[in-house]
Amino acid sequence: DADVTQTPRNRITKTGKRIMLECSQTKGHDRMYWYRQDPGLGLRLIYYSFDVKDINKGEISDGYSVSRQAQAKFSLSLESAIPNQTALYFCATSPPGTDNQPQHFGDGTRLSIL
Amino acid sequence: GDSVTQMEGPVTLSEEACLTINCTYTATGYPSLFWYVQYPGEGLQLLLKATKADDKGSNKGFEATYRKETTSFHLEKGSVQVSDSAVYFCALRDDKIIFGKGTRLHILP
């Protein structure tokens, strides 16, 4: 089983719809992240959470919201989807502290907004 | 703020050629440095890392040395294979990871 699981893997929807992307992890890590990947732009951080009661905006949080339902679950919502939110979305985890451990990624959710 | 700059792609090489993908960074502290690889249809995987100056990370024939004096962490491989075709991301980590924009590598048989 994958350590970081994202659902759905692919989604096509229409402008204005509400969409939720889900992420669950079995790593036992406190820290979870949502990124989006666009061609030529690399990965950009949307939101991150260092524990269940901690939610922080990343560099491109506008138009998105998140929910940390439990240590193992971190959901990303698009309240009213727009076409420029078409992208590949990744969830990632990492352990706390200054041990400099790298993040572990899910396989991504490809989202298309028509 | 902290940032990572890596060479733009795509990079196209023949099998068994030498590879260098340049990466430079700016940071106020002393970050750890990483290279990630993304194969088609998959998420990112850690390829190698270095946590302090002069450290050399290595994995699968790839190497990168943490050069504090030139703020660089270039990725090198002496003889590439078709299976190395992927997108490579340089990244640094202080409190959060910051990624470069990625370099697509295409190896021709």
Side-chain angles (χ1 to χ4, degrees), chain A residues 37 40 90 100-103 106, chain B residues 32 36 38 43 46 89 93 101:
Chain A
Q37 183 180 20
F90 287 102
N100 293 319
Q101 290 288 329
Q103 295 178 350
Chain B
S32 291
Y36 286 82
Q38 183 182 29
L46 177 67
F89 292 90
R93 174 180 166 136
K101 294 181 178 181

Side-chain angles (χ1 to χ4, degrees), chain B residues 51-69:
Chain B
T51 58
K52 62 183 185 298
D54 300 326
D55 270 2
K56 178 185 284 188
S58 61
N59 186 25
K60 299 182 180 179
F62 290 90
E63 293 183 339
T65 301
Y66 191 145
R67 302 284 188 200
K68 187 170 179 289
E69 63 277 11

